[in-house]
Amino acid sequence: MTHFDVVVLGAGAAGLFCAMRAGQRGRRVLLLDHAEAAGKKILISGGGRCNFTNTGCVPERFLSGNPHFARSALARYTQQDFVALVRKHGIAFHEKTLGQLFCDGSARAIVAMLLAECAAAGVDLRLSQRVTEVSRAEHFAVTTDRGRFTAESLVLATGGLSIPKMGATGFAHDVARRFGLKLVAPAPGLVPLTFVGPALDLMQPLSGVALDSIAKVGRTTFREALLFTHRGLSGPAILQASSYWRGGEALTLDLLPDRDAAALLLAGKRARPKAEPKTVLSEFLPGRLAQAMAALHLPPRVIGEVGDGPLKALGALLKAWRLEPTGTEGYAKAEVTLGGVDTSGLSSQTLAAKDVPGLFVIGEAVDVTGWLGGYNFQWAWSSGWAAGEAA
């Protein structure tokens, strides 16, 4: 049995950052993970280039039962702080749309940076360690298939349920529950939406078609790309909307943002009365989508012979296409886990459990979920830093 000041469970983004910060404070830190390599989800993020933060990280872009909970941690360690660390390590990066920051090269540079910082801080990283028991008497005790360790502080940083093929489990939720912490029911977030019936019959032949759109759920809207799939809808606009969607709710799509679809169709009728409707539609929609919409909603005539009423109705549909998803593609395709450890039981400043001295919960395991585009990595850095400052 070996004693440490801090044991961090989970060598992902939040766990690495927490261990690094605690080590920098002179704490003796053990970082454990069941995987054979650290930062596995970092490596696959952003198409392998890691969208490591966003210039627009504000608390309003995070979902939680307590919308103010993330404010303290995000203010204590900001996106500018993380960018400064990236610059310190000489990692080239660039900004894409909507404030998203990506490595110019591989996400491996971010993992290498975190491992280097942990090593410099004296963190004891041990991989391929399967935790078999977590308990607390005088100290926290963590038993693995390779040994037993005790510590004054225990940090749960094993993430949520998304992407189980990468080793994701509900471990942090189970341990938190065992120590009396409440959970907000987990659900897949940033996930493609599925459909059945006539809606799916329309979407399946359009698989692979993408276009600019506005997706709306309730009062929340996102303008980004939409992608048709063989199971329904995906793409950034849909992934963003999915975090706000609940079963039974409708999704509304604007397929022609900033344009008057009815006016375009009527103008096309006047300018090219001998053209087929799909030909006119394809001037402002992808060809396959134009063909499908024309076949479904307009009579099989040249556009000059189509009444203004059907053209206006199709124009209205293209601006406010109301759909009812039947579900999502689940944790296998979800980028994050909604819900998790209830923030009411945690300190917003340190991520410490209010009723269990020395226990901390950080990252995706907490009921804080960011938008698509680097927000969830920033929550990992910020929450990891806040806990690392106190553990």
Side-chain angles (χ1 to χ4, degrees):
M1 184 166 64
T2 308
H3 187 73
F4 291 84
D5 296 322
V6 184
V7 170
V8 180
L9 301 181
L16 283 162
F17 219 69
C18 178
M20 173 198 85
R21 184 59 194 145
Q24 290 170 346
R25 292 175 47 239
R27 302 285 276 167
R28 188 171 181 226
V29 182
L30 173 64
L31 177 57
L32 296 173
D33 201 294
H34 69 280
E36 74 286 353
K40 290 180 73 174
K41 286 180 77 171
I42 298 174
L43 294 176
I44 66 167
S45 66
R49 292 197 171 185
C50 188
N51 178 193
F52 55 79
T53 192
N54 194 294
T55 61
C57 277
V58 292
E60 292 74 22
R61 294 179 178 179
F62 292 81
L63 291 78
S64 174
N66 177 358
H68 302 292
F69 183 82
R71 188 176 301 276
S72 177
L74 291 171
R76 295 180 68 196
Y77 191 89
T78 69
Q79 59 269 38
Q80 290 84 6
D81 292 324
F82 192 80
V83 168
L85 181 62
V86 169
R87 291 186 188 278
K88 171 189 163 186
H89 283 260
I91 299 172
F93 65 92
H94 59 280
E95 181 175 340
K96 283 194 175 181
T97 57
L98 305 174
Q100 302 168 59
L101 301 185
F102 287 79
C103 297
D104 285 357
S106 169
R108 294 185 182 280
I110 298 295
V111 175
M113 174 189 80
L114 297 172
L115 290 174
E117 289 285 341
C118 281
V123 173
D124 186 343
L125 171 61
R126 304 190 191 188
L127 301 167
S128 299
Q129 298 253 351
R130 185 174 62 87
V131 176
T132 57
E133 185 181 0
V134 177
S135 61
R136 180 172 180 264
E138 183 181 355
H139 301 291
F140 289 98
V142 177
T143 304
T144 77
D145 53 0
R146 297 194 179 188
R148 188 168 185 267
F149 313 96
T150 58
E152 299 166 24
S153 295
L154 176 68
V155 183
L156 302 179
T158 57
L161 297 162
S162 56
I163 318 182
K165 70 179 182 181
M166 298 297 295
T169 70
F171 179 84
H173 298 162
D174 294 340
V175 174
R177 191 185 292 112
R178 212 173 305 149
F179 282 107
L181 275 66
K182 295 179 182 178
L183 291 185
V184 174
L190 300 178
V191 62
L193 296 174
T194 57
F195 295 80
V196 297
L200 184 60
D201 292 341
L202 171 66
M203 294 170 186
Q204 282 184 327
L206 298 175
S207 182
V209 172
L211 71 158
D212 182 31
S213 70
I214 296 175
K216 181 179 180 182
V217 174
R219 296 182 179 180
T220 305
T221 62
F222 292 97
R223 180 172 179 172
E224 293 193 63
L226 173 153
L227 174 70
F228 289 92
T229 75
H230 69 285
R231 297 188 65 187
L233 296 174
S234 187
I238 298 301
L239 299 185
Q240 295 277 39
S242 75
S243 291
Y244 292 82
W245 177 81
R246 297 296 177 266
E249 285 186 304
L251 168 75
T252 303
L253 300 176
D254 179 351
L255 301 182
L256 284 167
D258 302 330
R259 305 181 78 180
D260 185 331
L264 289 170
L265 285 166
L266 293 173
K269 175 182 176 178
R270 290 193 299 271
R272 303 173 63 191
K274 299 296 186 185
E276 291 186 69
K278 68 178 182 182
T279 303
V280 174
L281 273 171
S282 65
E283 293 176 1
F284 41 88
L285 287 177
R288 274 193 285 160
L289 178 59
Q291 183 174 355
M293 286 297 190
L296 197 60
H297 298 287
L298 297 176
R301 303 171 187 163
V302 295
I303 196 167
E305 296 177 3
V306 178
D308 286 359
L311 294 177
K312 290 178 180 178
L314 177 55
L317 175 74
L318 295 175
K319 294 296 292 181
W321 188 17
R322 189 178 185 277
L323 295 163
E324 293 188 8
T326 53
T328 75
E329 291 200 27
Y331 290 116
K333 295 292 182 70
E335 297 207 10
V336 293
T337 302
L338 297 166
V341 175
D342 195 325
T343 58
S344 65
L346 303 175
S347 162
S348 62
Q349 294 169 342
T350 65
L351 282 297
K354 294 176 180 177
D355 297 329
V356 189
L359 179 65
F360 298 78
V361 191
I362 61 176
E364 192 180 350
V366 180
D367 176 33
V368 174
T369 305
W371 285 6
L372 184 72
Y375 293 93
N376 289 293
F377 271 129
Q378 187 57 47
W379 172 245
W381 317 137
S382 296
S383 62
W385 179 273
E389 285 269 89

